[in-house]
Amino acid sequence: MEENFNPVAQTRANYYTPGSPVQFVCVELLKGDVSGEHAVCLTFKNISRVTLTALEIHFKCKGVDGVILCEDKFEYRDLQVKPGELFGQDDAVFITAKAITSVDVTLCNVYNGKRVVHLDGIKRVRLPAPRRLAPELQKALEARMNRTGLKYQPQVFENGWYCACGAFHPTEEDTVYCSECGCDRILLQNALNTLLQPAAPADEMEMPLNAPAAPAAPAAVEEPTRIVGAAPAAPAAPVEEPTRVVGAPVYEPKADPIQPVSEPTRVLDASARAPLSGAAAADEGTRVIPARRPAPVRQPAPVEDEEYEEYEDNRDSVAEALIRWVPPITAILCAAIALCGFVYYQFVL
């Protein structure tokens, strides 16, 4: 008789297998509505670029007291799992009436047609536990992304990244989209960063009317978005401006427009002062007198244009005579030559 199994608990895998084309995603515990037995279902994901046809695993189920309830191998056959798809969640690997507390899964072999990849020798890597978001922040993030179940903080590690839904995507998957909830990693982190930014106080947003206007700061270069751990919400410390050393202002003397410019002077020796009067020469040692100004240079008088006008008139008269008589003379000569040729051919020949 067929029996319906309802989900009871679900736990995500806390480790992954580096370099494997398939990853263990989560374990789900189901309970039958008639017999009350527990069924264990495992979920895997194809993170390669090819279609997977089979998978062999080794699992170990433990009870409440840590006793191993079952340790066996299981094979998933006749698969057609495309890249990015989940599989195995509909196949129960173990059914028991006892309570199960933990399940350990080891990947053995994965098949792509006739090609097989052996995973027994690969050492599994344990993942750090995802960080839970505060209930208020979780609701705000779900409202902003228009999705449910976003209760973890997005994180990036050397071997992969965590989505807000709790799904881990290893570097081998090479994607920025979560295959389980559909969130974009960059948009998700941007939304979370916006929610984590502290609001500016009201007194800082108001500016008094008599306050001087602050100089406009240069626009900051946007850096590309980086997914990092959440920083504690604390007000940002004011940025101190660098000290600028300004030299003393240099004042240049301005020329007084009222004072006239003094003329150059020259000093006369004794021989030059001989012609002067005796009393003046005896009282003075040296006499400073204004220097003589050089005589102004006279520009040559402009040449009158009468000769040029006469020359131009004579040239114009000759040109007019040639233009007037050359055409009719040429026409008469041509007509005479033509007439002579006509008479010669008509009467002589």
Side-chain angles (χ1 to χ4, degrees):
M1 183 180 76
E2 295 184 358
E3 184 178 6
N4 294 328
F5 286 82
N6 300 319
V8 177
Q10 183 183 21
T11 305
R12 291 189 175 272
N14 58 354
Y15 55 86
Y16 88 107
T17 306
S20 173
V22 62
Q23 294 295 337
F24 174 41
V25 177
C26 66
V27 56
E28 189 174 12
L29 189 63
L30 308 177
K31 185 177 183 180
D33 54 1
V34 177
S35 63
E37 294 181 333
H38 298 278
V40 179
C41 295
L42 307 176
T43 303
F44 302 89
K45 181 170 61 173
N46 180 10
I47 63 172
S48 66
R49 301 180 182 272
V50 297
T51 302
L52 302 181
T53 57
L55 175 65
E56 298 176 358
I57 66 168
H58 180 273
F59 70 94
K60 186 187 301 183
C61 298
K62 295 182 180 180
V64 179
D65 52 358
V67 179
I68 298 177
L69 302 178
C70 178
E71 183 176 359
D72 197 2
K73 288 187 177 182
F74 192 85
E75 298 179 356
Y76 297 89
R77 297 294 181 184
D78 300 328
L79 301 177
Q80 291 294 326
V81 183
K82 296 181 180 180
E85 291 183 349
L86 303 176
F87 67 97
Q89 62 271 20
D90 297 331
D91 298 330
V93 299
F94 178 60
I95 299 177
T96 180
K98 298 182 179 181
I100 299 175
T101 57
S102 64
V103 179
D104 183 39
V105 178
T106 303
L107 303 178
C108 298
N109 300 310
V110 61
Y111 296 86
N112 173 25
K114 296 182 179 181
R115 183 180 179 183
V116 58
V117 180
H118 302 285
L119 306 174
D120 299 337
I122 300 178
K123 185 178 180 180
R124 298 179 301 181
V125 177
R126 182 169 294 275
L127 297 173
R131 302 177 182 176
R132 290 294 299 264
L133 294 174
E136 298 80 6
L137 189 58
Q138 175 184 344
K139 294 180 181 179
L141 183 61
E142 290 177 349
R144 183 175 290 270
M145 298 300 296
N146 195 20
R147 286 179 175 81
T148 58
L150 305 181
K151 51 187 178 181
Y152 298 100
Q153 179 181 345
Q155 293 177 274
V156 173
F157 305 98
E158 182 180 0
N159 49 17
W161 60 280
Y162 266 125
C163 181
C165 66
F168 178 76
H169 300 273
T171 54
E172 290 83 0
E173 192 173 0
D174 191 19
T175 181
V176 295
Y177 297 98
C178 180
S179 56
E180 299 188 29
C181 68
C183 286
D184 182 282
R185 183 185 68 182
I186 299 177
L187 297 180
L188 182 64
Q189 186 63 40
N190 287 342
L192 184 60
N193 291 342
T194 303
L195 296 175
L196 291 176
Q197 289 180 356
D203 54 353
E204 293 183 2
M205 298 178 62
E206 298 179 358
M207 179 179 294
L209 297 178
N210 57 356
V221 181
E222 296 185 0
E223 297 183 356
T225 304
R226 297 182 299 171
I227 302 182
V228 296
V239 181
E240 297 183 359
E241 294 186 356
T243 304
R244 296 182 298 173
V245 180
V246 182
V250 179
Y251 297 95
E252 297 181 358
K254 297 183 179 180
D256 190 359
I258 301 177
Q259 297 180 358
V261 180
S262 58
E263 296 181 353
T265 58
R266 59 175 183 172
V267 181
L268 300 181
D269 53 6
S271 59
R273 297 195 308 268
L276 298 178
S277 59
D283 295 338
E284 296 180 359
T286 56
R287 182 181 181 185
V288 179
I289 61 175
R292 297 181 180 178
R293 296 183 180 180
V297 180
R298 296 183 179 180
Q299 298 292 337
V303 181
E304 297 181 0
D305 297 337
E306 296 179 357
E307 298 180 359
Y308 294 97
E309 292 179 359
E310 182 180 356
Y311 174 77
E312 291 179 358
D313 292 341
N314 296 335
R315 183 180 59 182
D316 293 342
S317 61
V318 174
E320 291 179 0
L322 291 176
I323 293 172
R324 180 181 301 176
W325 296 108
V326 167
I329 294 175
T330 303
I332 294 173
L333 291 177
C334 292
I337 294 172
L339 180 60
C340 293
F342 175 75
V343 173
Y344 179 79
Y345 281 102
Q346 290 293 331
F347 297 102
V348 176
L349 298 180

